[in-house]
Amino acid sequence: MSADDAVIDLDAHRDESVGPTTGRARHTVRPRIVLGLVAAFAVGLVLGGWGVDRSREARVRQERDATVALVAVPAGSGGGGVNSGGRARIEGSLAVVNAGPAPITVRSVRAESPTVLIRDFGRTRLIRPGGTGWIGVAVLFQCGEPLAAEPLSVRFSVETADGQVREAHYPVAIVGSDWLNMLSVICGPR
């Protein structure tokens, strides 16, 4: 073997085929894989951000629908009452204002103290946000006895927009109301 045959000149181009080269194919596949991974990552970021935003919206909507905020005041009497054995019964109404962000359905109203009992007539009332609903109630007073607790804590059973039944309490002032004026007529001066 001659010395020229043993030396390989790397600068010289040969026309003969040496076989499949893997170097060139590897360089063309890598950018495609990298671009595919980058695209998948970008799509994942967009979809993930959208999913987080939708989840946050759902949580805010759920909290809003579960909120109960109401105000209640005696709204008047039905024009008469009954005195039976020292107990006055007045049919009146309670104005309930929905101060919350979602509609509510008032299912029941009840309050009890040693001298006063308030209960509804069993009719539900849907009240939109910012709206007022009049709830018919029977108010029972013990004639001749001072009011035990003022204001009276009234318990409301309310169905919220998310379909859950919740309990809410609101203090209702009896003193100065039409109910107390009617009581004076039924029982006599206090």
Side-chain angles (χ1 to χ4, degrees):
M1 180 186 266
S2 72
D4 287 334
D5 288 338
V7 177
I8 299 173
D9 186 7
L10 296 176
D11 289 333
H13 293 290
R14 288 188 176 193
D15 290 337
E16 12 180 299
S17 175
V18 179
T21 59
T22 57
R24 182 170 212 153
R26 190 179 302 154
H27 290 294
T28 58
V29 171
R30 279 190 184 153
R32 287 184 198 158
I33 291 174
V34 170
L35 283 174
L37 289 174
V38 168
F41 183 72
V43 168
L45 280 176
V46 169
L47 289 176
W50 180 78
V52 166
D53 186 52
R54 298 296 288 179
S55 174
R56 188 176 303 131
E57 282 179 16
R59 189 172 42 254
V60 167
R61 185 175 35 249
Q62 184 180 23
E63 288 173 3
R64 182 194 72 218
D65 289 349
T67 300
V68 176
L70 52 85
V71 176
V73 293
S77 59
V82 178
N83 182 347
S84 174
R87 259 183 103 76
R89 182 176 195 270
I90 299 169
E91 290 189 5
S93 61
L94 194 62
V96 179
V97 178
N98 180 1
I104 60 171
T105 301
V106 177
R107 297 169 52 111
S108 69
V109 177
R110 187 158 179 89
E112 193 168 348
S113 78
T115 57
V116 180
L117 172 68
I118 299 173
R119 63 175 179 241
D120 65 281
F121 295 128
R123 296 182 197 106
T124 62
R125 173 75 62 177
L126 175 67
I127 307 171
R128 62 179 174 71
T132 302
W134 283 264
I135 311 294
V137 293
V139 185
L140 301 170
F141 290 100
Q142 188 67 42
C143 288
E145 297 205 16
L147 295 176
E150 179 67 21
L152 186 63
S153 180
V154 178
R155 185 178 71 230
F156 296 87
S157 175
V158 176
E159 184 175 343
T160 55
D162 63 354
Q164 300 295 316
V165 176
R166 292 183 168 74
E167 193 170 283
H169 294 267
Y170 191 80
V172 173
I174 305 293
V175 173
S177 71
D178 285 344
W179 296 351
L180 198 58
N181 294 336
M182 182 61 76
L183 179 65
S184 298
V185 171
I186 296 170
C187 293
R190 295 185 71 112

